[in-house]
Amino acid sequence: MNFDFTEEQIMLRDSVERYMREDYDFEKRREIADSEQGMSADNWQTFADLGWLSIPFAEEHGGFGGSATDTMLVMEEFGKGLLIEPYLATVLLFGAALQKGGNKEVQDTLIPKIIDGSCLGALAYLERQSRFELSDVLTTAVADSDGYRLNGEKVVVFNGANADQLIVSARTSGEQSDEDGISLFLVAASAAGVECSSYKMMDGQRVANIVLKDVSVSADKLLGELGGGHEILTAVEMEANLALAAEALGIMGQLNAKTLEYTKTREQFSVAISSFQALQHRMVDTFMDYEQTKSLLYRAVCAMTNGEEDAATAIHALKVMVDRAGTRIYAEAIQLHGGMGLTDELDVGHYAKRLMMIITTFGNGDYHQAKFNAIRYN
Amino acid sequence: MDTSFSEQDIAFRDEVRAFFAASYDEELRSRAANVDTFKAAVVEWQRRLHKQGWIAPGWPVEHGGTGWNSTQKFIYESERAAAGVRDVVPFGLTMVAPVIYTFGTDEQKEKFLPRILATDDWWCQGYSEPGSGSDLASLKTKAEVDGDDYIINGAKVWTTYAQYADWIFCLVRTSSEGRKQQGITFLLIDMKTPGITVNPIVSIDNHHSLNEVVFENVRVPMANRIGEQDKGWTYAKALLAHERTGIAGVADSIRNLGEVRRFAEQEVNGGKTLASDPMFQSRLSNIEIELMALEYTELRVLATVAAGGAPGAESSMLKIKGTEIQQAIQSLRMEVAAYYQGVLPNDLAEEQLGHSFGSAARQSYMYGRAATVYGGSNEIQKNIIAKAVLGL
Ligand SMILES: Cc1cc2nc3c(=O)[nH]c(=O)nc-3n(C[C@H](O)[C@H](O)[C@H](O)COP(=O)(O)OP(=O)(O)OC[C@H]3O[C@@H](n4cnc5c(N)ncnc54)[C@H](O)[C@@H]3O)c2cc1C
């Protein structure tokens, strides 16, 4: 038993770390966030060239065949540098759904395009009424002579406006919240009847509400089994939660480091404010929060990698921890920076907002705690 | 021990309730919520209150106060909050005015108080400096005597609404001898005086309410000094006690908690409303229980003050608990909004977006982080209690 990374993993991590540190400074990131697209196409091409877009994909499609640990290492570095490009949406949501559900032909055409940077994707899984429940789907897909006809609305679709291709969850049978009867369809963003209204989120990313009006898709664009989409979505979500937790960990570490640094240099009452024990203990608490989150992340990644039965339990626990520990960490970071922490100019608030978005994505702490309770105590 | 209302109290309550219902209309509410019309709407509302004679319940009657007893003030405040009516902007009415009517000259009272009552002047507070926040007494903005004037040089920061202000009340250094609290002077400065520059600071709620105010050779007549030179700290401290009573914001928190609950009744997860979820209910009740207690803590403090006692260190407790509760409510509202907490204001219509309060929830949550920082941070308040109450 050990917690060491392979040489290859260390190289990968270091390459991302170096890029984020040298080529992705906060001011550049702010410009990208303020741009109309909310991402940089040049950066995206660089990620492709560096091989980052290939990490989780199978080798037969030109992928790196990476593990959950590889993704974790990369995501943690992305978190530290507050990456804004749609890595999660394109590679870890859209890409993972394709990898898990796509037929060979669809995979053969699209996965290489994701890897070379020419295809941006999005997974449209949320609806107005669904809150955190992946199974709450009202969008319908009705079979017709050409394949299927989709009607409904998807909301807060990450990367929805920039995506070339969408994977949409739609109901092919069953009632509103049934897990059975949900199917996934590949839909071109340019297809007739797809209407997209895009808007910006607090972490700088662009999302979209997507209305589908009689959108026609051919039968080969069904991913996985008819009515079996929920299982794919759940598997994608589990892995994405690990990746998001790793990103969160990167952010938490940065917030703690920045706060520690600030309190050592900020003087009030003729001394550094880090000399006040009241603040020291708080920073010790957030340090422990960080370490505990890291431990649960490693635990969940190991459980996932080894295919342990209780991987789901560990992931729920991790999401609870990311919420509770993450919230304490960003709140303390802002508080200990005093007025400075309230400014948009300082990066601390931006880290906080990305962390807040991560906490909410795929269910907040309460949501996952209820799931955890149901598995452990019912 | 009796906290029930008399018949007169109930009649008063009904009168206040009817006034708010009739006067604080939807149009005013939405204009006050919009940055472009905010100032005009606030001025208009405060003038309506002034016309009604209710603009300054805390002032002595001879200067324009209402003469209400503490029960009436409590009722007024509860009704205001319950109706969702915004509180008055504090800088003139509840911050500088008490200093002026307590320590000012007759000329100063005549010049400033009527204009404050009528919201003819917009005030801001120039205390904090880049190097002096919690340790306010270390402030360095310098005032040098030149004939009948002071010449001011230095910078203030975090000055709320300086961009709107006609006047700023400042603490400035007139002497560096002795303890740092000595040698501070309290000045009233016309914002139109040459040499003042206001630089905007955007905060994490994406709004502009904060500013840096820079003074370069700004000439201020000595007639604008409050009390004696070098004694400003004493006057400012008296004002701080005023600033902290009412800072608990109990009435507003009661309303806001109720609102969160209503939102939670409409939010459904997996076929069940969030309001019916036991976990969510515990979150609500954790806050409500603290709030029930704080309401009575505040009443106990007010009763002491009404009996002639000083608010003292108890006001620090009101500030700590009150702001913690405010933040807990803001955070719960964010949870209800789920993904929509992240939405920045945009051009989409509400039907198109699919949500009504997420963006506003985030704005108040993000700005709400400041409540534990300003007005003396909660850490500083704990230091005060440790020292003044526990004798440590
Ligand atoms: C939204 C907002 C509006 C404001 N409006 C105004 C205004 O209109 N006018 C004005 O003059 N000022 C205003 N302020 C300034 C406010 O009063 C200061 O921010 C506050 O006094 C804290 O000072 P600071 O920001 O310099 O933080 P610092 O004093 O540097 O404090 C940083 C951290 O250290 C902690 N700390 C400091 N000393 C101690 C100690 N001895 N023991 C334990 N912990 C300690 C603090 O609690 C804080 O967490 C405003 C601030 C904000 C955020």
Side-chain angles (χ1 to χ4, degrees):
Chain A
M1 187 167 94
N2 69 72
F3 291 101
D4 305 331
F5 302 118
T6 64
E7 238 167 74
E8 216 177 10
Q9 286 170 335
I10 291 170
M11 272 170 58
L12 174 65
R13 183 190 63 194
D14 290 352
S15 91
V16 182
E17 193 270 338
R18 199 173 328 110
Y19 175 86
M20 297 307 287
R21 186 162 35 83
E22 289 174 4
D23 299 311
Y24 207 84
D25 67 69
F26 182 64
E27 287 315 314
K28 262 194 206 157
R29 182 219 181 247
R30 187 196 286 277
E31 276 172 33
I32 300 171
D34 289 344
S35 70
E36 186 50 39
Q37 257 204 322
M39 66 168 285
S40 152
D42 287 349
N43 285 352
W44 195 252
Q45 198 48 56
T46 305
F47 302 168
D49 298 343
L50 291 168
W52 300 347
L53 305 183
S54 74
I55 292 169
F57 296 109
E59 281 162 29
E60 55 174 311
H61 296 119
F64 178 77
S67 63
T69 306
D70 298 318
T71 300
M72 173 186 88
L73 290 172
V74 170
M75 287 301 285
E76 186 178 345
E77 297 306 323
F78 285 165
K80 288 186 196 167
L82 272 186
L83 182 94
I84 205 165
E85 276 73 19
Y87 192 85
L88 177 85
T90 297
V91 176
L92 301 179
L93 299 179
F94 176 78
L98 268 188
Q99 182 86 66
K100 290 178 202 306
N103 58 41
K104 189 166 169 348
E105 203 191 312
V106 167
Q107 288 180 344
D108 285 349
T109 36
L110 281 182
I111 292 179
K113 288 190 178 172
I114 297 177
I115 292 174
D116 73 17
S118 63
C119 171
L120 290 173
L123 179 64
Y125 61 94
L126 271 179
E127 298 188 359
R128 280 182 189 211
Q129 80 292 343
S130 62
R131 197 172 162 85
F132 300 137
E133 228 43 86
L134 296 176
S135 60
D136 190 337
V137 175
L138 289 173
T139 296
T140 56
V142 178
D144 66 9
S145 53
D146 307 323
Y148 297 90
R149 203 161 278 276
L150 272 59
N151 277 288
E153 184 196 25
K154 294 288 165 180
V155 300
V156 199
V157 180
F158 300 139
N159 197 37
N162 290 322
D164 306 297
Q165 297 281 338
L166 311 165
I167 291 174
V168 176
S169 63
R171 188 159 288 291
T172 40
S173 65
E175 301 290 322
Q176 180 174 339
S177 286
D178 289 352
E179 290 182 359
D180 286 341
I182 295 167
S183 306
L184 300 182
F185 296 93
L186 183 67
V187 179
S190 57
V194 175
E195 252 174 57
C196 167
S197 345
S198 110
Y199 49 100
K200 234 184 190 158
M201 302 298 266
M202 61 176 159
D203 57 353
Q205 69 170 317
R206 278 216 159 260
V207 302
N209 285 3
I210 293 175
V211 176
L212 305 150
K213 273 190 202 147
D214 277 329
V215 177
S216 186
V217 295
S218 53
D220 62 335
K221 298 292 159 57
L222 168 71
L223 303 189
E225 301 286 311
L226 185 68
H230 187 260
E231 207 176 308
I232 300 172
L233 280 180
T234 308
V236 170
E237 187 214 311
M238 290 242 281
E239 289 176 15
N241 273 331
L242 286 183
L244 281 166
E247 186 186 350
L249 187 73
I251 293 173
M252 289 164 153
Q254 288 289 67
L255 284 170
N256 281 352
K258 283 170 190 293
T259 304
L260 180 61
E261 183 56 36
Y262 183 77
T263 58
K264 282 191 204 164
T265 49
R266 171 69 174 170
E267 288 189 9
Q268 287 292 278
F269 306 99
S270 308
V271 292
I273 58 173
S274 61
S275 65
F276 301 129
Q277 227 162 43
L279 301 192
Q280 288 175 358
H281 285 193
R282 304 252 291 271
M283 289 190 280
V284 170
D285 284 337
T286 55
F287 160 76
M288 295 191 295
D289 273 331
Y290 170 82
E291 292 299 331
Q292 287 283 83
T293 306
K294 186 181 236 176
S295 298
L296 260 191
L297 174 63
Y298 286 8
R299 184 178 187 127
V301 167
C302 288
M304 190 78 169
T305 311
N306 302 334
E308 284 170 24
E309 250 180 61
D310 65 354
T313 317
I315 290 170
H316 291 310
L318 175 62
K319 270 294 272 181
V320 175
M321 181 69 87
V322 167
D323 184 334
R324 312 287 185 245
T327 302
R328 278 193 294 268
I329 285 176
Y330 78 68
E332 293 292 23
I334 294 173
Q335 179 70 20
L336 269 51
H337 277 81
M340 282 306 296
L342 265 292
T343 62
D344 181 65
E345 193 188 337
L346 195 75
D347 51 9
V348 165
H350 296 264
Y351 279 101
K353 288 177 203 173
R354 178 60 195 149
L355 196 45
M356 287 158 66
M357 246 356 266
I358 291 175
I359 287 169
T360 306
T361 302
F362 292 120
N364 60 17
D366 277 8
Y367 174 80
H368 285 279
Q369 195 159 4
K371 297 263 171 189
F372 182 95
N373 293 348
I375 296 175
R376 299 285 300 151
Y377 314 131
N378 280 356
Chain B
M1 290 255 295
D2 181 13
T3 54
S4 58
F5 292 151
S6 68
E7 255 173 54
Q8 289 102 304
D9 291 336
I10 288 171
F12 176 73
R13 185 196 66 193
D14 293 344
E15 184 193 353
V16 172
R17 193 172 289 180
F19 170 75
F20 284 134
S23 315
Y24 199 72
D25 50 58
E26 230 11 84
E27 193 251 356
L28 201 57
R29 199 183 295 268
S30 68
R31 276 170 55 217
N34 178 334
V35 259
D36 299 328
T37 46
F38 167 77
K39 184 182 178 183
V42 166
V43 170
E44 189 180 326
W45 168 240
Q46 293 194 173
R47 287 186 179 155
R48 274 187 216 177
L49 268 181
H50 178 45
K51 205 166 145 229
Q52 179 73 9
W54 292 353
I55 188 72
W59 291 25
V61 181
E62 69 265 30
H63 296 303
T66 52
W68 291 335
N69 62 28
S70 57
T71 308
Q72 286 171 309
K73 284 182 196 161
F74 171 79
I75 289 173
Y76 178 79
E77 184 55 15
S78 306
E79 291 300 319
R80 178 196 62 73
V85 172
R86 58 174 309 116
D87 204 352
V88 297
V89 175
F91 303 106
L93 283 157
T94 59
M95 291 186 172
V96 76
V99 174
I100 295 174
Y101 63 65
T102 313
F103 304 106
T105 61
D106 286 341
E107 290 78 46
Q108 287 169 340
K109 289 180 203 170
E110 272 162 41
K111 178 172 177 188
F112 293 111
L113 295 180
R115 296 182 60 82
I116 291 176
L117 284 171
T119 318
D120 287 337
D121 291 328
W122 189 290
W123 282 82
C124 64
Q125 179 190 34
Y127 279 17
S128 307
E129 297 182 5
S132 306
S134 298
D135 182 14
L136 184 58
S138 69
L139 60 92
K140 291 197 178 67
T141 295
K142 216 160 74 183
E144 285 166 307
V145 176
D146 182 44
D148 288 339
D149 298 332
Y150 290 107
I151 309 286
I152 318 293
N153 279 288
K156 295 291 176 180
V157 76
W158 317 124
T159 321
T160 302
Y161 298 150
Q163 76 267 36
Y164 302 137
D166 304 298
W167 286 83
I168 181 169
F169 58 98
C170 280
L171 292 178
V172 294
R173 184 152 301 283
T174 34
S175 159
S176 38
E177 317 253 301
R179 288 173 65 236
K180 61 187 176 184
Q181 285 82 358
Q182 291 160 357
I184 291 174
T185 296
F186 197 116
L187 291 183
L188 312 178
I189 302 176
D190 186 337
M191 288 292 282
K192 285 184 286 293
T193 320
I196 299 181
T197 317
V198 177
N199 301 316
I201 300 172
V202 175
S203 41
I204 52 177
D205 57 349
N206 300 84
H207 277 304
H208 164 213
S209 60
L210 302 175
N211 302 274
E212 179 195 36
V213 182
V214 182
F215 298 84
E216 275 173 298
N217 295 320
V218 175
R219 192 169 278 275
V220 179
M222 281 194 177
N224 287 7
R225 186 186 70 215
I226 294 285
E228 290 175 48
Q229 181 169 303
D230 297 343
K231 294 272 173 67
W233 188 255
T234 326
Y235 314 133
K237 262 186 83 170
L239 180 156
L240 279 180
H242 265 276
E243 186 180 333
R244 278 182 214 134
T245 46
I247 205 160
V250 168
D252 286 309
S253 285
I254 292 173
R255 174 177 197 274
N256 292 338
L257 192 64
E259 191 182 67
V260 171
R261 193 180 156 178
R262 280 194 299 284
F263 286 143
E265 277 160 6
Q266 275 141 44
E267 186 73 16
V268 176
N269 197 89
K272 278 186 294 208
T273 68
L274 198 55
S276 68
D277 172 30
M279 201 120 98
F280 188 82
Q281 288 176 352
S282 292
R283 286 200 182 280
L284 269 178
S285 55
N286 282 341
I287 301 174
E288 188 166 355
I289 289 162
E290 286 285 337
L291 196 48
M292 286 166 70
L294 188 63
E295 186 171 21
Y296 265 55
T297 303
E298 185 177 37
L299 287 176
R300 284 169 52 213
V301 173
L302 289 178
T304 315
V305 175
E314 290 88 348
S315 64
S316 293
M317 175 162 159
L318 295 180
K319 204 259 165 174
I320 296 168
K321 285 290 162 190
T323 52
E324 284 176 358
I325 289 171
Q326 286 157 25
Q327 290 182 345
I329 295 170
Q330 286 155 356
S331 152
L332 206 56
R333 189 192 277 126
M334 293 283 276
E335 272 198 34
V336 179
Y339 284 94
Y340 288 100
Q341 66 176 262
V343 177
L344 291 182
N346 58 51
D347 299 334
L348 299 184
E350 198 178 301
E351 318 83 77
Q352 216 179 347
L353 183 65
H355 205 262
S356 61
F357 66 90
S359 197
R362 187 198 54 266
Q363 265 158 28
S364 65
Y365 176 82
M366 294 315 301
Y367 183 77
R369 308 312 311 171
T372 46
V373 172
Y374 59 55
S377 75
N378 283 21
E379 290 75 25
I380 295 299
Q381 305 299 340
K382 286 184 187 175
N383 289 348
I384 292 173
I385 296 177
K387 208 167 152 189
V389 182
L390 306 184
L392 298 172

